[in-house]
Amino acid sequence: WSRSTHPTKMSEVSPELFEDVAKIVADPKIKPSRASSRDEKLRFYALYKRGTVGRLHPPYTDDDIDTDKRPKSKPGMLSFDARLKYEAWEKVGEVSSRAEGRKEYVKLAEEIVGDPVKECIKKHSG
């Protein structure tokens, strides 16, 4: 996943902003500024998980919640979608914290969805 430059510089993303942006991303009535690739959709999923509950695998920190609800093993080859989601969540393990996961999610949403997310960021910052 490449990281491109984003027009809005964010130092912190509040849980409230994150949840509002997640609602925009999930809303089928909101048309994104461009189509997202399958990899980007998986990255959205993974960053959402990282931003809400934390890492998939140990070592866990106090930042990670509900660690007992993590999948115990990678889904099988016939569970294609579940396996792709698991692998995507696994890949964002390098994201340092839930706060950083929220920030990366909002940046990706701003890049793909565009104006509705930019307006939401503006509303939360002022």
Side-chain angles (χ1 to χ4, degrees):
W1 296 312
S2 66
R3 294 205 167 106
S4 62
T5 58
H6 301 282
T8 302
K9 298 289 183 215
M10 291 173 276
S11 57
E12 283 293 317
V13 170
S14 69
E16 296 78 18
L17 170 58
F18 173 74
E19 287 300 327
D20 285 352
V21 170
K23 288 175 189 170
I24 291 168
V25 170
D27 189 339
K29 294 176 278 184
I30 295 177
K31 182 132 174 79
S33 61
R34 70 170 177 82
S36 56
S37 69
R38 178 149 126 195
D39 280 349
E40 288 168 330
K41 288 175 185 170
L42 288 168
R43 185 146 175 89
F44 268 127
Y45 170 83
L47 289 171
Y48 184 84
K49 295 297 275 186
R50 183 67 179 105
T52 55
V53 296
R55 283 182 170 69
L56 175 60
H57 297 298
Y60 299 122
T61 67
D62 292 343
D63 192 44
D64 299 303
I65 60 172
D66 296 331
T67 55
D68 58 325
K69 296 179 182 169
R70 303 287 194 276
K72 302 297 180 225
S73 62
K74 185 182 280 194
M77 292 301 290
L78 297 179
S79 300
F80 189 69
D81 288 339
R83 188 176 182 94
L84 287 174
K85 287 178 176 181
Y86 181 96
E87 289 171 350
W89 189 7
E90 204 170 41
K91 283 181 184 176
V92 296
E94 82 280 354
V95 175
S96 62
S97 65
R98 288 174 46 211
E100 189 65 25
R102 291 191 299 266
K103 186 175 173 180
E104 290 295 317
Y105 182 95
V106 170
K107 284 181 182 180
L108 182 62
E110 183 181 11
E111 178 186 327
I112 292 171
V113 179
D115 289 341
V117 172
K118 289 176 186 173
E119 290 168 18
C120 184
I121 292 167
K122 200 179 298 182
K123 181 183 88 172
H124 279 269
S125 65

